[in-house]
Amino acid sequence: MARNTRRTHNHRHHSHRIERPAAVIIGMMGAGKTRIGKESAHMLGLPFADADHVIEHRIHMSIPDYFAEHGEPAFREVERDIVCSYLKHFRGIFALGGGAPMTPAIQDALKEYKQHGGKVVYLMAHPEEAMERANRGGGRPMLHGDANARWRKLFVERDPTYTKLANVIVRTHSMSPIRAAERMIDVINERIVHVTGEGIEDYDVQIGEGALAQLPHVLGSGPVRVALIHTTSVRRHSDHARTLLRQAGYDVLDIVIPDAEMGKTIEVANGIWERLGNEGFTRSDAIVGIGGGACTDLAGFVAATWMRGVHYVNCPTSLLAMVDASTGGKTGINTPQGKNLVGSFYTPAGVLADLQTLTTLPNDIFIEGLGEVVKSGYIGDPEILNILRDHAEELRNFDGASFLGSDLEPVVAELIERTVRVKARHVSADLREAGLREFLNYGHTFGHAIEQLEHFRWRHGNAVAVGMVYAAELSRLTGFVDTAFVDDMIELLESLGLPTTWHHRSFDDVLAVMHRDKKARGNTLRFVVVDEIGHATRLVDPPADAVEDAFRFVQD
Ligand SMILES: NC(=O)c1ccc[n+]([C@@H]2O[C@H](COP(=O)([O-])OP(=O)(O)OC[C@H]3O[C@@H](n4cnc5c(N)ncnc54)[C@H](O)[C@@H]3O)[C@@H](O)[C@H]2O)c1
Ligand SMILES: Nc1ncnc2c1ncn2[C@@H]1O[C@H](COP(=O)(O)OP(=O)(O)O)[C@@H](O)[C@H]1O
Ligand SMILES: O=C(O)C1=C[C@@H](OP(=O)(O)O)[C@@H](O)[C@H](O)C1
């Protein structure tokens, strides 16, 4: 996102309507919450509010005087009321006092803020730097006496709470205020999709340039060892992840697996289980998968099965993995009998979709990922289709080498966020695909048949594109949509460089595979179709002639 030039803001705290802060900064005294918060707000053209200053304005005295006159409990009550109000009615950057996150009511308010996509930023300075700054000018009632000893004691008490409450961390060790503010802006520009729901341990999908920097924070302090599972094609990115992990103090097991579908096998999984056993990998250790969807599927499967489940973080590096494979908890491997036949529903502790990894993604792999983006537009977010139409040519000509900083970057970030939101909505309501989640399979019944009959030479997203045209024609033949719907879909897919036809001789082959689709019930075919853009429904046991006629329609 282009950084805003300086603009003045006559900001008022609007107490009557919901507008949440762009970011909330927490951290120790002297971390720079006020200085960096103000600097980054200025650079973004946003208002800034410092909770301590708002409180002093409200109590008409300094905080030290209020502490002396009324005591800390009374202060914490005033602080609680003001912070909880600002979390709903202030749209700028909001810096909290060091002690605020320790108040239960404020913790609850911060959790609700995050569930609405809010960013709680733990601003971490080097302790020596923070203590030196905190002691400037005195006036910090919590540091009376041996200030540094008090600071260290408070740090031990508060760091675990800060770490738990924050969904992003910004480390400013020896950074200038401007550089620290720029890091803050990168984090503020990141997009976060919060995934929650029955059977799901809440996690965030973080989308943005540099998101990998959050890897230590997402893993937390529990693991000693981290198994980093990746393919050689993403070596540049796995090297970066390994460096981040080692700098954060983790013992990294580097595990390279075969590329693409060759990595999604029981033999590969078994080799990793052997390695983990030999290395004494415990249940408190963690798995990180960095790569395309095949790699994150395999990594998730290993995480789901090692000691019946260890934490794992997905770091998707292809568009399809970012918008689909890495989120939702489907993990698995292929077997000689078919694709994804063995696996587990096992959700990650977090997903970091770092746009920097797209700089090495081949154009054809980017385009096939658009297949799942188009699908999500049709089943759940028509605005996705508008964005795709408006930027079709740039998207079709995607070039990783010139992607970062280009006009396409915010467009792709928006498409990724919107597509992940569509998936998260379905997964949150139906983790184990008993109902709503089936709609994510739009275009997949015929699409999987293509993959199977082409012996997986066709890329998934390309097969889904043809599968959607098949489903659209089938829904036209059965009265759900008109010819314009089908024509518009074909035009959009072709404008993006996606296939809309497939050459195969035998309908019987296709029918036999479709009857083995997981959505089939007994001898009854069940399709997901779209009856209006943005809304999916089911078509059960369609007339046999329509099923065949739609096949003829997508033949080239
Ligand atoms: N679990 C789920 O919910 C889910 C959903 C959709 C798809 N999938 C699975 O995901 C897989 C498809 O994912 P995919 O399209 O990412 O395929 P993929 O993992 O095979 O990656 C495609 C190719 O691009 C390369 N690549 C990936 N990122 C790269 C990068 N940044 N730079 C350079 N090369 C890169 C890979 O090495 C590979 O050669 C399939 O196995 C499919 O079953 C799973
Ligand atoms: N990255 C930085 N580099 C240099 N000085 C800094 C930096 N961050 C903060 N400061 C200075 O340190 C002091 C304390 O910063 P402040 O933002 O008030 O900390 P906090 O609000 O976290 O307690 C201020 O004088 C501020 O200008
Ligand atoms: O998370 C899910 O439910 C999905 C899993 C995959 O389908 P399959 O389960 O048919 O492989 C994927 O291709 C589809 O986009 C959504």
Side-chain angles (χ1 to χ4, degrees):
M1 174 186 290
R3 284 173 192 150
N4 296 320
T5 51
R6 181 176 183 151
R7 288 202 308 257
T8 54
H9 257 270
N10 300 315
H11 177 74
R12 288 185 306 106
H13 167 221
H14 298 286
S15 57
H16 54 285
R17 64 173 182 262
I18 297 284
E19 42 182 13
R20 302 177 191 276
V24 174
I25 306 175
I26 64 175
M28 286 296 293
M29 288 166 279
K33 300 184 294 300
T34 304
R35 175 71 185 276
I36 307 311
K38 200 177 286 183
E39 193 70 54
S40 51
H42 175 76
M43 292 160 81
L44 286 170
L46 287 172
F48 172 77
D50 179 293
D52 286 353
H53 295 164
V54 175
I55 291 166
E56 288 182 333
H57 183 74
R58 174 76 62 85
I59 60 180
H60 305 298
M61 66 170 72
S62 75
I63 287 175
D65 290 348
Y66 195 89
F67 260 66
E69 198 168 318
H70 301 282
E72 182 179 358
F75 169 78
R76 293 300 173 200
E77 281 186 23
V78 173
E79 179 181 60
R80 177 201 59 212
D81 294 347
I82 286 173
V83 168
C84 291
S85 174
Y86 266 62
L87 287 177
K88 287 188 171 179
H89 304 297
F90 175 72
R91 65 176 185 80
I93 293 180
F94 184 33
L96 304 191
M102 308 309 285
T103 302
I106 291 178
Q107 292 173 3
D108 294 342
L110 287 172
K111 283 172 192 156
E112 188 203 8
Y113 166 68
K114 285 190 292 183
Q115 284 171 356
H116 287 84
K119 291 187 187 68
V120 178
V121 183
Y122 180 1
L123 189 64
M124 289 184 88
H126 188 287
E128 296 303 325
E129 292 174 332
M131 285 187 283
E132 184 277 323
R133 293 171 195 158
N135 294 331
R136 292 178 197 170
R140 301 225 193 206
M142 294 303 289
L143 293 181
H144 280 166
D146 179 346
N148 287 356
R150 283 286 296 151
W151 190 98
R152 286 195 178 90
K153 182 174 182 300
L154 286 173
F155 178 71
V156 170
E157 289 169 11
R158 294 176 175 179
D159 176 66
T161 300
Y162 292 161
T163 300
K164 186 172 174 53
L165 280 175
N167 47 10
V168 282
I169 275 195
V170 172
R171 288 180 172 79
T172 68
H173 296 34
S174 67
M175 283 184 192
S176 70
I178 295 295
R179 179 67 194 108
E182 288 172 346
R183 274 299 294 132
M184 177 71 71
I185 287 170
D186 284 343
V187 158
I188 290 168
N189 285 341
E190 267 184 20
R191 299 152 181 269
I192 293 182
V193 178
H194 188 74
V195 186
T196 183
E198 190 176 334
I200 295 173
E201 276 187 53
D202 288 18
Y203 64 94
D204 288 323
V205 180
Q206 297 185 40
I207 303 152
E209 191 178 332
L212 274 177
Q214 299 302 321
L215 191 48
H217 175 54
V218 176
L219 284 169
S221 57
V224 173
R225 289 179 191 77
V226 174
L228 183 64
I229 300 175
H230 62 99
T231 58
T232 50
S233 62
V234 299
R235 167 71 70 191
R236 182 193 307 180
H237 313 303
S238 55
D239 287 351
H240 178 42
R242 189 184 314 105
T243 301
L244 287 168
L245 290 168
R246 285 180 173 153
Q247 282 174 345
Y250 297 102
D251 176 9
V252 180
L253 278 61
D254 194 70
I255 299 176
V256 182
I257 64 172
D259 196 39
E261 297 306 311
M262 295 304 291
K264 272 179 74 169
T265 68
I266 194 65
E267 292 77 14
V268 170
N270 190 51
I272 297 172
W273 291 327
E274 284 178 1
R275 176 88 183 272
L276 299 183
N278 295 335
E279 301 268 354
F281 213 75
T282 68
R283 189 169 243 174
S284 62
D285 293 322
I287 304 271
V288 171
I290 179 164
C295 179
T296 57
D297 272 11
L298 182 275
F301 178 69
V302 169
T305 51
W306 181 253
M307 293 194 173
R308 294 194 182 84
V310 294
H311 266 50
Y312 78 110
V313 176
N314 275 335
C315 302
T317 62
S318 72
L319 179 62
L320 190 137
M322 288 183 180
V323 302
D324 195 354
S326 59
T327 298
K330 278 188 178 178
T331 73
I333 54 174
N334 304 323
T335 69
Q337 289 70 37
K339 204 163 176 316
N340 298 337
L341 293 183
V342 171
S344 172
F345 287 98
Y346 190 68
T347 50
V351 178
L352 299 174
D354 190 325
L355 300 184
Q356 283 176 335
T357 65
L358 296 180
T359 57
T360 57
L361 190 69
N363 171 271
D364 62 324
I365 309 294
F366 177 85
I367 288 174
E368 69 120 346
L370 291 174
E372 292 287 3
V373 177
V374 172
K375 177 207 71 184
S376 302
Y378 272 100
I379 67 169
D381 182 355
E383 181 56 23
I384 288 177
L385 305 180
N386 295 333
I387 297 170
L388 289 168
R389 282 195 188 89
D390 291 347
H391 299 276
E393 186 175 354
E394 304 147 80
L395 290 164
R396 190 176 64 248
N397 295 320
F398 170 83
D399 169 30
S402 60
F403 170 65
L404 288 187
S406 70
D407 292 342
L408 194 58
E409 184 179 353
V411 173
V412 170
E414 177 76 12
L415 287 171
I416 293 170
E417 180 183 358
R418 285 180 173 272
T419 304
V420 170
R421 284 196 188 285
V422 170
K423 177 149 191 183
R425 197 162 63 236
H426 288 78
V427 168
S428 298
D430 175 24
L431 174 66
R432 293 178 174 276
E433 202 171 23
L436 186 72
R437 184 169 186 167
E438 271 194 338
F439 290 162
L440 293 172
N441 245 226
Y442 182 54
H444 284 58
T445 305
F446 193 84
H448 279 317
I450 293 175
E451 291 181 275
Q452 184 91 14
L453 294 169
E454 292 291 345
H455 309 293
F456 302 104
R457 290 186 298 258
W458 267 52
R459 304 211 54 75
H460 179 74
N462 293 333
V464 169
V466 180
M468 283 190 285
V469 176
Y470 176 87
E473 176 62 6
L474 182 63
S475 61
R476 185 190 70 80
L477 291 167
T478 48
F480 285 90
V481 297
D482 60 16
T483 303
F485 178 96
V486 181
D487 292 347
D488 289 349
M489 176 188 283
I490 291 171
E491 182 184 5
L492 173 60
L493 290 169
E494 291 179 347
S495 72
L496 294 168
L498 286 161
T500 56
T501 61
W502 171 55
H503 177 73
H504 190 77
R505 54 196 184 288
S506 160
F507 171 66
D508 291 342
D509 292 346
V510 172
L511 193 60
V513 176
M514 290 201 294
H515 271 291
R516 292 201 300 272
D517 180 73
K518 63 171 176 287
K519 299 187 294 299
R521 295 288 182 273
N523 198 35
T524 300
L525 285 175
R526 296 171 67 250
F527 291 90
V528 175
V529 293
V530 165
D531 52 10
E532 64 179 286
I533 292 178
H535 184 265
T537 186
R538 286 183 186 82
L539 171 55
V540 179
D541 199 17
D545 57 354
V547 173
E548 182 164 1
D549 289 349
F551 167 74
R552 306 280 171 228
F553 181 80
V554 298
Q555 290 305 292
D556 61 16

